[in-house]
Amino acid sequence: SDKASVTGDGVIELGDGVNTISVMVTAENGSSRVYTLNIARNTEAYDNYFHTSLVNEENFFSGIDPESTVADVKALFEMNEGFSLVYYNMNGMDKDDTTKVNTGDLIQILDAEGKTVYIGSLFIRGDANCDGKISSADLTLIAHFILGDGSLSETGKHAADANKDGKVSAADLTLISRHILQEGQIVQ
């Protein structure tokens, strides 16, 4: 509507780490709401913060066993001195160490002052719907995506690429189907 407005938009310089941006939206009826966006701009030098045996694909981490718990994943990160790791679900809520890992879970790296310096997302190949399981629900979602009938989150796209060829295709559906039917395994 012409009577609604947004303030806080425009060109914003992003620094390394997490940048907090507030945007105020005023509705036609005059009510306002502030939305806070946390935008992570990770540096290429994440090894300044931690080392891990997981594969890092542009801040998306793979190589996680589908039965892993949060504690299992945390153990795969060796933090450099002065840095710590916090583990969240995809909605930014804390996860207990005994909880199973889901595609879309987030790792957040904090410096000694508690400032976020890095955020990465985890994924399990085959778990395109981010529920922590490889099932027919993932096949349906991927099929709709391939046909142009549906969408996948960025993390879901990485998870859907079960054969690691950089694209989501029928070949991934075949590999995931074979995994579900226990006729093959997806190499994480």
Side-chain angles (χ1 to χ4, degrees), residues 4 21 24 32 57 69 84 98 115 124 129 134 139 173 185:
I21 300 168
M24 181 184 290
S32 296
E57 300 175 17
T69 64
S84 61
T98 60
K115 179 183 175 213
I124 298 167
N129 69 353
I134 302 169
L139 293 174
L173 287 174
Q185 281 291 105

Side-chain angles (χ1 to χ4, degrees), residues 50-85:
F50 63 87
H51 298 280
T52 184
S53 59
L54 296 176
V55 177
N56 185 348
E57 300 175 17
E58 299 178 8
N59 305 314
F60 293 92
F61 292 91
S62 67
I64 301 160
D65 185 284
E67 296 301 314
S68 296
T69 64
V70 169
D72 296 333
V73 170
K74 284 181 173 179
L76 297 173
F77 285 85
E78 180 184 330
M79 304 308 300
N80 292 346
E81 189 173 334
F83 296 95
S84 61
L85 181 147

Side-chain angles (χ1 to χ4, degrees), residues 121-168:
S121 183
L122 306 171
F123 68 94
I124 298 167
R125 290 200 187 275
D127 179 26
N129 69 353
C130 306
D131 68 353
K133 298 175 259 185
I134 302 169
S135 68
S136 60
D138 299 300
L139 293 174
T140 301
L141 187 64
I142 295 166
H144 283 286
F145 176 77
I146 292 169
L147 295 171
D149 246 4
S151 63
L152 292 169
S153 67
E154 282 305 308
T155 308
K157 288 177 190 173
H158 282 273
D161 182 19
N163 67 359
K164 304 179 189 178
D165 69 353
K167 53 191 179 235
V168 180

Side-chain angles (χ1 to χ4, degrees), residues 12 34 46 66 72 101 110 123 155:
I12 298 169
V34 175
Y46 68 85
D72 296 333
V101 171
L110 307 175
F123 68 94
T155 308

